[in-house]
Amino acid sequence: MCGIVGYVGDGNVYKILINGLYRLEYRGYDSAGIALGSAGKINIFKTVGKVDNLVNFCKDKDTDCTFGIAHTRWATHGAPSDCNAHPHYSEDGNIALVHNGTIENYKLLKEALEEHGCRFHTQTDTEVLVQLVSWIRHENQCTLVEAVREALKQVIGAYAIAVIAKDDPDTIVAARKQSPLVIGIGDNETFLASDATPFVEYTKDVVYLEDEQIALIRKGKPLKIFNFENEESTINVKKLELSISQLEKGGYPHFMLKEIFEQPNTLLDCIRGRVVQGGKKVVLNGVNDNKDKFLNARRIIIVACGTSWHASLIGKRLLQDMCRIPVEVEYASEFRYSNPVITPDDVVIAISQSGETADTLAAVEIARKAGAFVYGISNVVGSSIPRNTDSGTYIHVGPEIGVASTKAFTGQVMVLTLLALTIAELKGTMTQLEIEEMGQWILRIPKIVEEVLGLAPQIERLSLIYTYARNFLYLGRGYSYPVALEGALKLKEISYIHAEGYPAAEMKHGPIALIDAEMPSVIIAPNDHLYEKIVSNVQQVKSRGGSTIAIVTKGDTEISSIANHVLEVPKVPEMLSPIITTIPLQLLSYYIAINKEKDVDMPRNLAKSVTVE
Ligand code: M6R
């Protein structure tokens, strides 16, 4: 949801900012812009479309400068256009600002500024902020940092901003509230970005800005951070664990395909050091260190959005089956406004790949205020959710760049499995033998996933038959129901084909009316305790002329004899089946989208990290 980059130093400012925008493009890609400053001058270039367009636009422009800020946008206020693209600037052209987030009271602020004679040229909330900073600075004859602080005190909303001024060269003022910003400290140069990817090759020393902090970044001077009361904060430098190779496609045509094929390794990384003694023991430090909280939990509430919400549904089943604890799963966006009843005996688990999803972060805040123990499951080290929860676990699957989540989903499900096993051992709800058996299966999962990836050529051929279907149903029961939801979401996101995930048995209560020869159903039917039940669901679809693609366990004969197409996966215990059955669905949506020549890594209207409500 919008990417911000800033740079002050002796390097090639334009090049560093543009490369940074390419790295952050996954966060939003409807328009991009750059403000290039040097003493007494700021050049602003911005265009609708991706960063490539901006680069073409800048070809014959003066990009010589000593400091600058840049932005890649995911529109909230005002359609994607050259004019609405960031940076926005004050009417006198002195100040330029980039923003990620939304200013909720922008209309009121705009009216007040108009009364003072300000004129506006865009439909954005951001232009209001830059005009406000400029007006305050003018009225009070104050420094840029003071004007930013006073302006932000009047703002209601979420933001990460970077501001520069013509009359304050080689300086960037940055601030955040509920949107991420990280500062990279190099040798005589300082970077600023929405995440650390733009500067990973330059420095590993990073400072994560906290909510309501303002950073003063100046060339040749130490970084300063203040709170809104103008008190100086201690600077806490952390070491970044990220390598440049993790941000490249590594020979794959798309990040999504790379990330699908990385899963044997990412799952290995996810379980490393957590399933030990040859599978005999499962150790999740976040749980073991907070035994009492989990042992005394009256119930567990899981909050998440999108794919992470699907992983949460699987988590609910795992926790209920293994630990016999009541579990509720909530969309974070609904939970936050539902006046939820939370007590200090509840454990709230927040799941988020990015660790920055605004709704999930808000749900965390509510749970903490209500006194619950809040546990985060995230992928991005140092992101807001891990920093705002009492404890948690990283899924350790490496950066996920493709907007459609794949390896993060299997990592989340794996961590939830480990979490349930760890609690089950503490509570004694599973025998040692049962735990060991699961532990040993978990160790085999990366190899099994590798085997499932061998289905890729078969799925690629199959995708050709269904590329032009206009609607799909995805059906599953038990552990396979959330897999059906996730399969449908993947198809929608990257191929723009309408797809619905449904509990297979619910189909007869309505959606069955949709079935005809034009409406394929993808049925997730591994050989589990609901297998016989789902056989009859396949028959119901077939007898109404619908075509069926079934994901079945190797050696299946019953469904294989009815379904139009079958994809066979190896047998694993039912509780581990979602990790296995989801892989063919990821590949199916990928190949269908490729056949339709869609941009699978940056699907239209989406953004990787949703930092607005
Ligand atoms: O970063 P998060 O896991 O909190 O993100 C939640 C959703 O925005 C995300 O899963 C989204 O649904 C993906 N595009 C799914 O592929």
Side-chain angles (χ1 to χ4, degrees):
M1 204 110 307
C2 301
I4 288 176
V5 205
Y7 177 74
V8 176
D10 293 328
N12 182 329
V13 181
Y14 174 73
K15 211 169 134 202
I16 289 170
L17 293 178
I18 290 290
N19 284 343
L21 286 185
Y22 276 120
R23 297 255 173 88
L24 292 181
E25 204 169 18
Y26 72 96
R27 300 176 69 90
Y29 33 82
D30 59 46
S31 50
I34 193 163
L36 303 169
S38 45
K41 185 176 87 173
I42 293 181
N43 283 336
I44 297 183
F45 307 118
K46 45 192 200 167
T47 56
V48 73
K50 293 194 175 165
V51 179
D52 276 344
N53 285 9
L54 179 67
V55 172
N56 280 334
F57 183 75
C58 289
K59 264 188 186 137
D60 54 352
K61 304 285 186 300
D62 172 14
T63 55
D64 207 29
C65 60
T66 59
F67 68 112
I69 53 176
H71 187 268
T72 177
R73 180 172 186 240
W74 185 87
T76 57
H77 298 67
S81 67
D82 292 352
C83 162
N84 287 335
H86 299 216
H88 290 284
Y89 44 91
S90 56
E91 231 180 328
D92 63 4
N94 185 36
I95 300 176
L97 181 151
V98 292
H99 167 221
N100 171 19
T102 46
I103 310 296
E104 286 169 23
N105 58 339
Y106 81 102
K107 279 194 182 139
L108 278 178
L109 295 171
K110 189 173 179 178
E111 278 161 23
L113 287 165
E114 277 169 340
E115 278 173 24
H116 292 298
C118 278
R119 282 175 302 140
F120 290 86
H121 309 282
T122 77
Q123 288 89 53
T124 64
D125 51 344
T126 306
E127 193 187 8
V128 175
L129 189 52
V130 70
Q131 302 275 38
L132 181 62
V133 172
S134 169
W135 187 76
I136 291 173
R137 192 159 181 230
H138 211 259
E139 283 299 294
N140 302 320
Q141 293 297 302
C142 59
T143 63
L144 186 60
V145 78
E146 284 163 349
V148 168
R149 184 174 56 239
E150 287 315 307
L152 292 178
K153 282 184 180 169
Q154 298 184 33
V155 159
I156 301 172
Y159 51 79
I161 57 166
V163 195
I164 57 172
K166 267 186 199 169
D167 60 2
D168 200 351
D170 299 320
T171 300
I172 301 175
V173 175
R176 69 156 273 175
K177 186 178 178 191
Q178 292 163 26
S179 277
L181 269 184
V182 51
I183 297 165
I185 302 174
D187 272 349
N188 225 5
E189 58 185 353
T190 310
F191 305 81
L192 169 78
S194 300
D195 66 38
T197 56
F199 52 78
V200 61
E201 63 267 56
Y202 301 104
T203 179
K204 299 279 188 241
D205 291 334
V206 297
V207 177
Y208 295 98
L209 211 59
E210 300 289 340
D211 270 355
E212 301 200 345
Q213 281 189 330
I214 301 182
L216 178 60
I217 300 166
R218 289 166 301 176
K219 189 170 175 181
K221 294 190 180 151
L223 170 71
K224 286 202 176 287
I225 297 182
F226 306 92
N227 64 17
F228 277 14
E229 274 65 57
N230 200 23
E231 293 156 348
E232 212 171 320
S233 315
T234 324
I235 293 176
N236 195 354
V237 182
K238 299 236 159 87
K239 278 280 171 220
L240 191 66
E241 280 178 29
L242 184 70
S243 73
I244 189 84
S245 64
Q246 290 177 294
L247 306 175
E248 287 164 351
K249 286 187 194 147
Y252 286 90
H254 299 99
F255 280 110
M256 182 180 177
L257 193 63
K258 176 191 175 211
E259 286 157 8
I260 292 174
F261 274 87
E262 268 177 349
Q263 288 174 108
N265 286 329
T266 56
L267 286 163
L268 208 56
D269 290 341
C270 178
I271 59 183
R272 183 166 294 122
R274 293 168 171 170
V275 183
V276 291
Q277 298 171 14
K280 289 200 172 115
K281 201 156 174 51
V282 179
V283 192
L284 216 51
N285 291 335
V287 175
N288 293 102
D289 296 346
N290 297 284
K291 270 188 204 138
D292 295 349
K293 298 286 176 195
F294 286 96
L295 282 174
N296 300 326
R298 195 171 60 93
R299 69 177 168 163
I300 292 177
I301 306 168
I302 314 183
V303 289
C305 302
T307 287
S308 301
W309 185 79
H310 298 154
S312 309
L313 293 178
I314 297 168
K316 171 183 167 130
R317 285 181 183 268
L318 290 165
L319 285 159
Q320 286 184 175
D321 280 348
M322 296 192 203
C323 317
R324 306 308 298 146
I325 304 178
V327 182
E328 290 167 24
V329 175
E330 299 266 1
Y331 283 116
S333 53
E334 287 298 313
F335 177 82
R336 65 185 291 193
Y337 295 115
S338 66
N339 192 14
V341 180
I342 311 164
T343 72
D345 298 334
D346 291 327
V347 169
V348 173
I349 301 179
I351 307 185
S352 170
Q353 186 284 132
S354 63
E356 299 293 351
T357 300
D359 287 319
T360 313
L361 204 49
V364 164
E365 199 52 39
I366 290 168
R368 289 195 70 180
K369 280 197 180 130
F373 176 73
V374 187
Y375 196 86
I377 296 180
S378 183
N379 188 31
V380 181
V381 177
S383 57
S384 299
I385 288 174
R387 286 186 297 125
N388 286 286
T389 40
D390 297 307
S391 181
T393 303
Y394 285 112
I395 60 175
H396 287 318
V397 299
E400 189 180 66
I401 314 275
V403 165
S405 188
T406 52
K407 62 176 181 174
F409 175 72
T410 49
Q412 289 166 341
V413 176
M414 182 55 90
V415 160
L416 285 161
T417 313
L418 303 180
L419 182 101
L421 280 167
T422 312
I423 302 173
E425 183 172 15
L426 293 175
K427 283 191 72 158
T429 43
M430 280 171 80
T431 65
Q432 198 48 44
L433 201 69
E434 285 168 333
I435 291 172
E436 280 182 36
E437 214 174 290
M438 278 295 283
Q440 279 157 15
W441 268 108
I442 287 172
L443 292 178
R444 273 181 243 150
I445 286 293
K447 273 263 162 273
I448 298 174
V449 168
E450 202 169 306
E451 194 183 330
V452 180
L453 288 168
L455 289 172
Q458 187 189 346
I459 298 173
E460 190 174 4
R461 286 192 298 277
L462 181 65
S463 72
L464 293 169
I465 305 174
Y466 291 103
T467 296
Y468 297 100
R470 310 253 330 251
N471 299 285
F472 269 83
L473 260 186
Y474 280 69
L475 303 171
R477 301 188 70 157
Y479 280 92
S480 299
Y481 161 53
V483 175
L485 293 178
E486 175 58 10
L489 179 67
K490 279 303 77 96
L491 189 72
K492 277 188 267 214
E493 282 187 296
I494 58 169
S495 70
Y496 318 144
I497 296 174
H498 169 247
E500 264 189 77
Y502 238 82
E506 271 295 301
M507 181 192 57
K508 59 184 174 292
H509 298 290
I512 199 164
L514 296 169
I515 288 173
D516 62 14
E518 308 286 298
M519 172 93 160
S521 296
V522 178
I523 299 163
I524 300 100
N527 196 349
D528 58 22
H529 82 285
L530 291 166
Y531 178 78
E532 286 308 328
K533 306 277 175 201
I534 207 160
V535 171
S536 56
N537 301 134
V538 181
Q539 269 154 347
Q540 287 156 11
V541 175
K542 282 298 294 178
S543 58
R544 280 152 188 91
S547 74
T548 47
I549 303 165
I551 315 292
V552 297
T553 305
K554 262 192 185 148
D556 177 284
T557 49
E558 219 172 334
I559 290 185
S560 303
S561 65
I562 334 170
N564 298 69
H565 308 277
V566 290
L567 295 167
E568 290 193 336
V569 296
K571 175 137 190 73
V572 295
E574 185 166 346
M575 292 176 198
L576 293 174
S577 66
I579 296 175
I580 303 305
T581 53
T582 206
I583 310 279
L585 305 186
Q586 295 171 346
L587 287 166
L588 183 66
S589 46
Y590 172 80
Y591 287 119
I592 290 181
I594 291 299
N595 299 342
K596 296 184 78 164
E597 297 183 1
K598 301 299 179 204
D599 186 345
V600 291
D601 283 340
M602 290 186 231
R604 71 180 179 205
N605 305 338
L606 295 180
K608 185 74 187 160
S609 141
V610 185
T611 52
V612 295
E613 293 201 39

